[in-house]
Amino acid sequence: MRAIILSVLLGLVLYIQAQVTIGSGIPPDENALLDLKEDDNGNSTKGLLLPRVQLSDIDSPSPLTEHKEGMFVYNIGENGFVGRGVYYNTGEKWEKVSSLFTNWFYMPSVVFDTSLTGEGFTKNLYELYRDQFENPMMKSSDAPPSIPHMPAANDLYYYITVYDTDVFEIISLSDSGILVYNIKQAVSAYSLINIIFVLK
């Protein structure tokens, strides 16, 4: 009888140790290996703090000794190859977690009137992008009415990678996507400004 009771108790201890709650003495959800919660309703006043590392390159496992699929970290360093943010490891490289958005994309087509010269023209690149994404002219039958997962203006970096310097003089490009420019030379055919948005 004593052996049966000890076996049952040992089995119960092993079961409890297989699932863990951190933050309270409340048993974990039956589907969770690790459950972070402070009360019965799952409410909390604290968050999960990921390991903070300095990644040097998405192809390098450093500071890990090797790539490990499923590893999550928060990169606190910032260089030309890797920005700050949450990254996961694919087993071959680091990928940034970008809130379901692609990491970068070209700005939708926008018309710049170059028929007359002038100074101090402005375009709100973010508003032009948002208006097109919220009001597409056509969509497939099962698509939502507007394009989902739209970041805010300050969630983006704005780049102009190339433009016709004979026609345009770029004065400024703000952190919220306001472009100020001059038209140096009127053209009747076409000109070029290549604009790219990158998620922070």
Side-chain angles (χ1 to χ4, degrees):
M1 183 67 170
R2 181 179 296 175
I4 294 173
I5 293 173
L6 287 175
S7 295
V8 170
L9 289 174
L10 179 59
L12 183 60
V13 167
L14 290 175
Y15 171 76
I16 292 172
Q17 287 181 340
Q19 294 177 289
V20 179
T21 297
I22 295 179
S24 74
I26 302 165
D29 183 280
E30 64 180 16
N31 296 300
L33 183 62
L34 175 64
D35 194 352
L36 308 178
K37 60 185 175 184
E38 290 183 282
D39 64 29
D40 287 328
N41 298 318
N43 297 321
S44 181
T45 58
K46 299 176 178 64
L48 171 66
L49 188 58
L50 291 175
R52 286 144 290 166
V53 301
Q54 293 202 26
L55 302 178
S56 58
D57 190 283
I58 61 170
D59 295 315
S60 170
S62 178
L64 277 63
T65 56
E66 62 181 347
H67 289 295
K68 195 68 176 176
E69 185 177 6
M71 183 73 68
F72 275 79
V73 298
Y74 185 88
N75 180 47
I76 58 173
E78 190 165 6
N79 55 49
F81 303 101
V82 189
R84 296 175 72 91
V86 176
Y87 286 77
Y88 69 94
N89 199 285
T90 66
E92 297 179 348
K93 63 179 181 177
W94 295 104
E95 291 277 1
K96 188 172 185 180
V97 177
S98 298
S99 304
L100 304 179
F101 307 117
T102 55
N103 193 41
W104 67 272
F105 53 96
Y106 288 100
M107 180 176 178
S109 298
V110 59
V111 175
F112 285 78
D113 184 356
T114 57
S115 61
L116 297 171
T117 60
E119 296 183 351
F121 295 106
T122 64
K123 280 199 183 292
N124 187 322
L125 302 181
Y126 177 78
E127 283 192 359
L128 292 168
Y129 145 70
R130 185 191 61 202
D131 289 346
Q132 286 195 36
F133 274 47
E134 287 181 343
N135 303 290
M137 295 181 70
M138 184 169 287
K139 67 179 188 68
S140 60
S141 60
D142 61 345
S146 62
I147 298 172
H149 312 308
M150 189 173 303
N154 292 324
D155 290 335
L156 297 167
Y157 295 121
Y158 301 87
Y159 293 88
I160 295 176
T161 56
V162 65
Y163 63 94
D164 189 339
T165 56
D166 291 332
V167 176
F168 296 101
E169 180 183 8
I170 304 299
I171 305 302
S172 64
L173 179 56
S174 77
D175 291 340
S176 58
I178 307 296
L179 174 66
V180 181
Y181 62 98
N182 299 335
I183 302 294
K184 297 162 55 177
Q185 174 183 315
V187 291
S188 57
Y190 68 89
S191 192
L192 170 70
I193 295 183
N194 197 31
I195 302 165
I196 293 178
F197 295 170
V198 178
L199 282 162
K200 293 182 179 178

